[in-house]
Amino acid sequence: MVTPGSTERGTPLKVVVWSTGTVGRHAIAGIDRHPDLDLVGVWVSDPAKDGKDAGELAGLGRTLGVEATTDRDALLALRPDAIVHAAMTDDRVFEALEDLIGFLEAGVNVVSSGPVLLQWPAGILPPEMLERITKAGESGNASLHVNGIDPGFANDVLPLSLTSLSQRIDEVRVQEIADYSTYYQPVVMRDIFGFGQPLEERPMLWEPGVLSMAWGSVVRQIAAGLGITLDEPLTENVDRRPAERDVETASVNVRAGTMGAVRFEVVGKVDGVPRVVLEHVTRTAEDQVPEWPTPKDGGGCYRVVVTGEPVMELELTHRGEHGDHNVSGMIVTAQRLVNAVPAVVDATPGLVTALDLPLVTGRGLVATGGASE
């Protein structure tokens, strides 16, 4: 374990990346560029990736001298300072929780992209599970932070920072508005959202209470940051629409008449009045349901709207140098985790939220000798 403040003494932190999928491959690239981090190991679930160099798996076009492995114990034996956990958790929440608790017990700090309910688990996760995480962190002297872009920066630090300009707040609304046609994640698109499936099919995401488990953490964390107590339970609104024509996406083929777009809200109310709202507008083609909110710059965006005095609107867009907004969406998710590693290593043991951490920046990442270096 690294003692608090040691990251400032110039000793790189030893980091393991857990999974090399859509987020993990970018985490490898991010760690490779970070002056305070040293990639020492990579875990993979696919035996075909066992023994392959991390640089190859990340698509860097060069080797890094770090071979991926399916051997969990071998990676923990390296005694890394932190694990950047980027494995898919949406369809294996409880198994993922056990993995994260095991890392803490082994004395390894963790930053993870899921399960997303851990972003702010109060009111969602059973108290006994929260106690297990706390005890695991204390026994291993290690911290756990779950974040990303959404749930994550776009709906915790960003909106709460904006409210620091408010004189009166009537409502805080955080939105993801995106075309998912180039998003490659078949399990999420087909099985969890239900895109391309008949509208009468009801994936678990649309069952009552599930949205509040997945994104309720966002609403509750903003409320905590504003010092308000929400009515319980949270309110969920869902509007699913059929595709008007056949659409081919990177993950699933959407036939006309099957589910092609969805707009949903998770609403936190105080005395019956909406005060904090998480909203997603998700399309499988840019021109679907044009009456719904659209990004000002095409593709996708994160938007924060604070009504009150004054009324404020902030739109965050991103795009990769060599890809679209869905590619850069994976990059910003990975980098929010990677750049938080030093702060999480130095944090109090146990579960830490965005409200517990100091300001996380891109310290050490400014290019030298040319913007594309």
Side-chain angles (χ1 to χ4, degrees):
M1 288 293 297
V2 173
T3 56
S6 63
T7 57
E8 298 178 1
R9 295 202 296 266
T11 303
L13 297 170
K14 297 187 297 181
V15 182
V16 165
V17 170
W18 212 265
S19 186
T20 60
T22 53
V23 174
R25 64 192 303 270
H26 295 298
I28 291 172
I31 293 167
D32 180 56
R33 286 191 59 87
H34 202 294
D36 296 329
L37 306 178
D38 182 21
L39 182 71
V40 297
V42 174
W43 180 86
V44 289
S45 60
D46 184 356
K49 294 182 179 180
D50 192 22
K52 290 193 174 182
D53 188 87
E56 177 186 353
L57 294 175
L60 298 182
R62 55 188 171 85
T63 59
L64 298 181
V66 177
E67 291 186 355
T69 180
T70 57
D71 190 336
R72 175 185 185 276
D73 293 336
L75 291 172
L76 294 180
L78 296 173
R79 300 186 61 80
D81 296 293
I83 288 174
V84 176
H85 182 268
M88 176 74 166
T89 63
D90 292 342
D91 58 347
R92 51 182 300 274
V93 172
F94 295 106
E95 295 93 332
L97 284 170
E98 293 300 324
D99 288 342
L100 299 180
I101 290 171
F103 298 149
L104 293 178
E105 291 174 338
V108 183
N109 299 281
V110 187
V111 293
S112 180
S113 58
V116 295
L117 56 85
L118 289 179
Q119 188 207 24
W120 188 270
I124 303 175
L125 205 63
E128 56 271 23
M129 181 59 76
L130 279 174
E131 182 65 18
R132 277 193 66 198
I133 295 172
T134 299
K135 288 184 176 179
E138 291 174 347
S139 66
N141 191 30
S143 304
L144 167 64
H145 178 58
V146 174
N147 214 252
I149 188 66
D150 180 345
F153 175 80
N155 37 49
D156 54 33
V157 174
L158 186 64
L160 286 172
S161 295
L162 188 61
T163 63
S164 70
L165 306 178
S166 295
Q167 185 181 85
R168 186 192 77 247
I169 300 170
D170 295 334
E171 180 187 279
V172 177
R173 179 177 292 264
V174 291
Q175 299 172 302
E176 180 191 83
I177 308 168
D179 164 25
Y180 272 29
S181 62
T182 59
Y183 176 49
Y184 182 73
Q185 192 58 267
V187 172
V188 172
M189 292 287 284
R190 181 186 60 246
D191 301 334
I192 295 178
F193 272 82
F195 289 120
Q197 303 299 313
L199 282 175
E200 56 268 24
E201 295 284 337
R202 286 187 62 87
M204 185 171 290
L205 185 61
W206 312 122
E207 293 299 324
V210 176
L211 284 175
S212 293
M213 287 186 62
W215 280 277
S217 59
V218 166
V219 175
R220 291 185 173 94
Q221 182 161 229
I222 293 175
L226 297 177
I228 58 177
T229 301
L230 300 176
D231 303 341
E232 293 290 349
L234 303 178
T235 301
E236 301 171 355
N237 303 313
V238 180
D239 185 0
R240 297 189 294 151
R241 299 289 183 90
E244 294 183 354
R245 68 177 193 282
D246 292 352
V247 175
E248 290 188 8
T249 78
S251 295
V252 61
N253 291 331
V254 179
R255 302 303 179 193
T258 65
M259 182 177 149
V262 64
R263 182 181 186 181
F264 68 81
E265 295 178 329
V266 180
V267 184
K269 299 179 180 180
V270 178
D271 298 328
V273 179
R275 296 300 186 191
V276 182
V277 182
L278 177 283
E279 179 181 2
H280 271 219
V281 177
T282 308
R283 299 176 169 93
T284 52
E286 282 194 18
D287 59 351
Q288 290 172 337
V289 201
E291 64 269 26
W292 286 355
T294 57
K296 294 176 181 178
D297 197 24
C301 74
Y302 294 99
R303 184 178 294 162
V304 180
V305 182
V306 180
T307 55
E309 184 61 49
V311 175
M312 296 180 285
E313 183 174 308
L314 180 65
E315 187 154 316
L316 168 64
T317 60
H318 52 79
R319 63 184 62 83
E321 288 181 322
H322 309 294
D324 66 4
H325 63 283
N326 285 314
V327 174
S328 59
M330 299 301 101
I331 295 173
V332 296
T333 296
Q335 286 306 130
R336 185 61 185 169
L337 301 175
V338 168
N339 291 330
V341 166
V344 173
V345 167
D346 289 347
T348 301
L351 185 67
V352 293
T353 72
L355 300 186
D356 300 316
L357 295 178
L359 180 65
V360 174
T361 73
R363 180 182 178 92
L365 301 180
V366 177
T368 58
S372 62
E373 181 182 322

